[in-house]
Amino acid sequence: MGRKVTLATCSLNQWAMDFEGNSKRILESIEIAKKKNAAYRLGSELEICGYGCYDHFYEGDTLLHSFEVLAMLLQSPVTQDIICDVGMPIMHKNVLYNCRVIFLNKKILLIRPKMQLCNDGNYREERWFTRWMKPRQVEEYFLPRMISSITGQKTVPFGDAVLSTRDTCIGSETCEELWAPSSSHIAQSLDGVEIFTNASGSHFSLRKAYVRVDLVKSATAKCGGIYLFANQKGCDGDRVYYDGCSMIAINGSFVVQGSQFSLDEVEVLTATLDLEDVRSYRGNFASRARAAAQSEPYPRVMADFSLSKDDDIFLPSYEPVGWRYHSPEEEISYGPACWLWDYLRRSGQGGFFLPLSGGIDSSSTACIVASMCHLVCQAVDNGNPQVLTDVRRIVGDPDYVPQNPRELAGRIFVTCYMASENSSEVTRNRAQQLAEQIGSCHQSIQIDTAVSAVIGIFTAVTAVVPKFKVHGGSPRENLALQNVQARLRMVLAYLFAQLTLWAQGRPGGLLVLGSSNVDESLRGYMTKYDCSSADINPIGGISKTDLRAFIRFCVDKFGFTALKEIYDAPPTAELEPLAEGQIAQTDEEDMGMSYEELSIYGRLRKMMKCGPYSMFCKLIHTWKNTCSPAQVAVKVKHFFRSYSINRHKMTTLTPSFHAENYSPDDNRFDLRQFLYNVAWTWQFRAIDKQVDALEKTKSTPNTEEPATTPQDGSGPTN
């Protein structure tokens, strides 16, 4: 009898609500899987409609068009003689479920609804879907007429069942079920399931890849078995980037690793694996055998089909591979670059416009665009027809072939140094040098005329002339004069973005790129509606610390030597007058905190769920060698005042590439009020009490055993 099975898992660059494109990519992946002799093909979560449909899931049209795509797939000759596992939303008894539809030769074998929904961070699945709450139970699902007329079936099994073929047993999980403490694969393995599938819609975050890898490795090491993991890839129309990393593992070892960052729209991974390896692996665990002997059975859907072949003895089986992780600098280089490419080609625009100041942030954005150009050229050189078609459409030349990344950047990337009287020649030269090395079409303009005109309007009405602080002005005057410059740069950025291609005789416009990082957004150190206001922002979810490391990486990776001087320069907005031609203003001095401190505050606030008091209680230990409790209290209070005063700015934050788990993005990830009592009276009083208690303890001679908990009832649990 046969025992070797060839299985396929896929990463598809699906686009929410793009039923036409999504169905073509699904068919292409099935065709590739069949050419590689796969007998089972697994696709990503909700691949028919796209994972990020959000409130479109409420619409009956979304369900209708998903079934229309399913009907097309069932009838296609491409889907014959291979078990296909696709994802789509399905309503059963007036309840909407996130489902897997498993079919073979025009027959639906099983509809398996998701049993654990993801409802944290960027995920809001419980807004639209209900999880299946009847473990090991199935019901009859009445098929729509358009499907029934193709399959000849009136009803099909719907629920928590497993699929039995002639030679093995297959169980399904969907995304969050792998993360959940009571993962489905545990009970399935005890009931004899040998192949687990997981269709996922897992988005990218910095340093996240190891989590998926560890979960899959642990699942197969503990339970034994084959695990197929399929994840969506690309930007499907929102802030998150799905980073593929599809994989196949067996008994705690990986046999295939998919790409994490790629411009290929369709990636199909296959592996030929020996079912006897699973059986012998499990046979070594007596404790597993005892648990399996008393496990509750799953309903089994029978499929008269074999994944293996009788003459498979000469088929080569797997060889384990070591997992290759990207460094954080590589993730910053490739992730936002792939996201930008998808956004550009799907938006129908002709390129990007970036206000390039010569600082770390805008230079990082420029380097990400340069990285995108490298990926595009590499894809064209590798013969990717879709990328070549897209780049020709973007540049408006049906015969265009990019020669190199610099030449491509000159076609699709415009940078502009927007100088005022407060700008230095140093930053102007830095911006110019970096633009030359990247190859962008660079401009340098002076905005003083516009600034004077706007201030002149105010002066004509009020008969007063605002002054900078160094000229005797008040803090309010000083801030207003800085904001005028910043906001006019935004206005000019959109003007140039809309008309630059028109001036060149080319159709379309340019997407304006923003360059505010996650730390400045958290602190609110940005002008509302300045150059941070853009169409999209590739670095809005990345910390200043990581961006500095990325700048160093780009010097070696791309040879951008202009970045060395940019890296060494202190961050500055250059919005206040120069002191004898030199920069007199620095960001960290303005903020009253360092970027390193900001990253710590951000992680404690969001990831560790700390309010002011809890943050203080943690930092008095973290910073015990550098700060007294009173100094820590001052720092924490200053952060929370600054954060709460500026929280309103997050409501208008430019859509940013999601990269960091302490992002303050108000859209969906970090849901908080934007009008605060910025005095935080109750919370700060709790901090003050603790500071007083610590100082009294420090000043009192220690003549007895120290108490293990605060005696005044002010500890973190009281």
Side-chain angles (χ1 to χ4, degrees):
M1 61 179 293
R3 66 186 204 180
K4 292 180 181 176
V5 294
T6 301
L7 308 168
T9 184
C10 310
S11 287
L12 308 184
N13 194 328
Q14 301 298 71
W15 189 7
M17 304 300 289
D18 179 26
F19 294 96
E20 188 77 29
N22 292 349
S23 60
K24 289 179 180 177
R25 286 181 284 271
I26 293 171
L27 276 177
E28 182 181 346
S29 69
I30 296 171
E31 190 170 17
I32 294 172
K34 287 181 68 176
K35 287 179 180 177
K36 294 184 175 184
N37 298 313
Y40 193 105
R41 176 268 182 200
L42 173 70
S44 60
E45 185 174 7
L46 296 168
E47 61 181 328
I48 285 180
C49 56
Y51 181 83
C53 293
Y54 305 137
D55 281 4
H56 286 296
F57 286 124
Y58 288 133
E59 300 168 3
D61 283 6
T62 304
L63 306 184
L64 169 65
H65 300 323
S66 294
F67 271 115
E68 289 171 343
V69 171
L70 178 61
M72 182 272 292
L73 294 174
L74 286 165
Q75 295 181 92
S76 172
V78 173
T79 64
Q80 303 307 297
D81 301 320
I82 181 173
I83 297 179
C84 298
D85 187 337
V86 299
M88 60 181 282
I90 293 179
M91 185 171 284
H92 174 56
K93 296 182 177 178
N94 298 331
V95 179
L96 188 61
Y97 295 97
N98 176 346
C99 294
R100 305 304 302 170
V101 180
I102 305 171
F103 63 90
L104 169 68
N105 294 335
K106 296 186 179 181
K107 299 290 184 182
I108 294 177
L109 303 174
L110 172 67
I111 299 177
R112 203 277 190 174
K114 191 172 182 178
M115 300 189 66
Q116 299 285 347
L117 299 180
C118 191
N119 215 53
D120 54 22
N122 283 302
Y123 295 100
R124 292 290 180 274
E125 292 181 3
E126 290 184 8
R127 179 178 172 91
W128 311 289
F129 300 111
T130 300
R131 69 181 182 91
W132 183 251
M133 292 183 283
K134 301 175 183 178
R136 295 183 179 86
Q137 293 183 42
V138 295
E139 298 176 352
E140 291 299 310
Y141 176 76
F142 288 82
L143 292 172
R145 284 192 295 268
M146 74 170 79
I147 303 299
S148 183
S149 63
I150 297 168
T151 66
Q153 302 164 290
K154 291 183 179 179
T155 64
V156 294
F158 185 105
D160 184 23
V162 296
L163 179 65
S164 286
T165 63
R166 295 179 200 162
D167 47 4
T168 189
C169 188
I170 305 163
S172 295
E173 291 187 316
T174 305
C175 199
E176 180 70 9
E177 293 176 57
L178 174 62
W179 271 258
S182 56
S183 296
S184 301
H185 67 260
I186 298 173
Q188 290 174 355
S189 72
L190 295 176
D191 194 36
V193 171
E194 297 176 327
I195 300 172
F196 311 104
T197 66
N198 186 300
S200 191
S202 178
H203 67 71
F204 167 83
S205 289
L206 280 170
R207 305 171 179 88
K208 176 185 175 182
Y210 79 92
V211 178
R212 300 189 198 110
V213 173
D214 287 354
L215 286 169
V216 172
K217 183 176 182 178
S218 174
T220 57
K222 181 172 62 177
C223 299
I226 299 167
Y227 205 104
L228 276 68
F229 181 87
N231 190 28
Q232 187 168 311
K233 70 191 310 188
C235 167
D236 78 341
D238 195 44
R239 294 160 170 78
V240 296
Y241 174 79
Y242 301 94
D243 56 336
C245 281
S246 293
M247 63 189 88
I248 301 176
I250 180 172
N251 299 339
S253 298
F254 292 98
V255 294
V256 183
Q257 173 184 355
S259 61
Q260 186 176 10
F261 307 110
S262 168
L263 301 188
D264 296 333
E265 287 200 324
V266 176
E267 180 181 36
V268 180
L269 309 176
T270 60
T272 300
L273 302 166
D274 195 333
L275 294 172
E276 287 301 314
D277 290 336
V278 175
R279 293 158 188 166
S280 61
Y281 182 90
R282 289 178 173 176
N284 288 327
F285 291 101
S287 60
R288 181 205 169 274
R290 285 192 295 271
Q294 57 185 334
S295 66
E296 295 184 27
Y298 275 82
R300 297 202 173 206
V301 175
M302 307 303 296
D304 188 16
F305 185 78
S306 293
L307 300 187
S308 60
K309 301 185 184 304
D310 292 335
D311 56 349
D312 63 2
I313 190 169
F314 297 109
L315 277 177
S317 191
Y318 76 97
E319 292 294 334
V321 298
W323 194 272
R324 196 267 182 187
Y325 292 99
H326 289 287
S327 68
E329 293 78 18
E330 289 175 323
E331 290 185 324
I332 294 171
S333 180
Y334 303 138
C338 292
W339 183 75
L340 282 181
W341 174 247
D342 279 345
Y343 201 101
L344 175 61
R345 69 193 182 96
R346 287 172 169 168
S347 68
Q349 298 303 299
F352 297 114
F353 181 92
L354 172 67
L356 184 60
S357 68
I360 287 279
D361 294 336
S362 62
S363 297
S364 296
T365 298
C367 289
I368 289 171
V369 176
S371 178
M372 184 201 78
C373 292
H374 278 77
L375 291 175
V376 170
C377 290
Q378 181 181 350
V380 171
D381 291 343
N382 291 339
N384 187 316
Q386 185 61 54
V387 172
L388 182 58
T389 298
D390 288 334
V391 76
R392 285 173 171 173
R393 177 173 46 79
I394 289 167
V395 302
D397 183 349
D399 301 315
Y400 174 69
V401 178
Q403 301 303 304
N404 55 64
R406 286 192 77 254
E407 184 270 338
L408 175 60
R411 293 265 195 149
I412 65 172
F413 189 30
V414 177
T415 53
C416 183
Y417 182 82
M418 299 182 177
S420 73
E421 61 183 2
N422 303 317
S423 304
S424 66
E425 283 300 314
V426 175
T427 53
R428 184 194 298 270
N429 292 336
R430 288 183 205 141
Q432 178 70 39
Q433 291 169 10
L434 180 59
E436 289 175 357
Q437 293 177 1
I438 291 174
S440 66
C441 177
H442 187 67
Q443 304 161 346
S444 184
I445 64 174
Q446 201 74 25
I447 68 170
D448 291 323
T449 303
V451 173
S452 298
V454 171
I455 295 174
I457 294 172
F458 176 80
T459 300
V461 173
T462 63
V464 294
V465 180
K467 300 175 183 177
F468 282 105
K469 182 172 58 179
V470 296
H471 299 147
S474 66
R476 282 189 291 174
E477 294 171 73
N478 195 66
L479 184 60
L481 290 173
Q482 293 182 67
N483 288 342
V484 167
Q485 299 167 70
R487 290 182 174 126
L488 281 172
R489 285 179 174 135
M490 184 271 288
V491 173
L492 290 169
Y494 273 98
L495 175 65
F496 277 81
Q498 288 180 304
L499 296 181
T500 294
L501 295 185
W502 168 78
Q504 297 174 358
R506 287 175 52 189
L510 301 173
L511 292 167
V512 179
L513 296 179
S515 293
S516 58
N517 62 64
V518 70
D519 296 326
E520 289 170 351
S521 298
L522 176 66
R523 163 65 173 75
Y525 185 68
M526 53 192 285
T527 300
K528 202 172 186 179
Y529 305 118
D530 69 347
C531 278
S532 64
S533 297
D535 292 313
I536 49 176
N537 181 359
I539 69 166
I542 305 173
S543 72
K544 192 79 159 192
T545 303
D546 282 335
L547 289 176
R548 288 180 61 81
F550 171 62
I551 288 292
R552 289 199 308 268
F553 167 84
C554 290
V555 174
D556 299 326
K557 174 71 174 178
F558 303 118
F560 297 156
T561 56
L563 294 173
K564 293 180 179 179
E565 188 177 343
I566 293 170
Y567 178 84
D568 291 333
T572 175
E574 285 196 328
L575 294 172
E576 295 187 50
L578 303 174
E580 298 181 356
Q582 300 300 312
I583 297 169
Q585 175 190 36
T586 63
D587 292 349
E588 291 187 335
E589 184 179 351
D590 274 1
M591 291 190 298
M593 61 190 73
S594 69
Y595 282 105
E596 183 179 355
E597 289 172 341
L598 258 177
S599 291
I600 293 172
Y601 297 144
R603 288 185 171 88
L604 289 174
R605 182 197 70 99
K606 177 64 178 177
M607 298 169 65
M608 301 299 292
K609 314 298 188 290
C610 288
Y613 180 72
S614 296
M615 185 181 292
F616 166 79
C617 290
K618 289 184 180 296
L619 289 179
I620 57 175
H621 300 290
T622 304
W623 291 343
K624 63 183 179 182
N625 294 326
T626 57
C627 296
S628 68
Q631 290 172 323
V632 173
V634 170
K635 287 176 176 287
V636 170
K637 290 178 183 179
H638 178 56
F639 165 71
F640 272 96
R641 284 195 193 97
S642 302
Y643 157 77
S644 55
I645 288 170
N646 292 290
R647 178 66 189 181
H648 65 95
K649 297 177 182 178
M650 297 305 96
T651 64
T652 60
L653 200 65
T654 295
S656 301
F657 174 85
H658 178 82
E660 189 56 77
N661 283 330
Y662 68 88
S663 168
D665 179 8
D666 184 69
N667 171 260
R668 189 172 70 253
F669 185 71
D670 188 42
L671 304 181
R672 301 168 194 254
Q673 72 209 68
F674 56 87
L675 178 61
Y676 279 89
N677 178 351
V678 299
W680 297 85
T681 50
W682 192 282
Q683 296 91 332
F684 287 179
R685 187 161 56 244
I687 293 175
D688 292 338
K689 287 180 180 179
Q690 194 66 48
V691 170
D692 291 342
L694 289 169
E695 289 180 346
K696 288 177 182 177
T697 302
K698 187 175 180 180
S699 62
T700 302
N702 189 8
T703 58
E704 56 184 32
E705 288 295 321
T708 56
T709 57
Q711 298 300 299
D712 61 353
S714 60
T717 60
N718 293 76

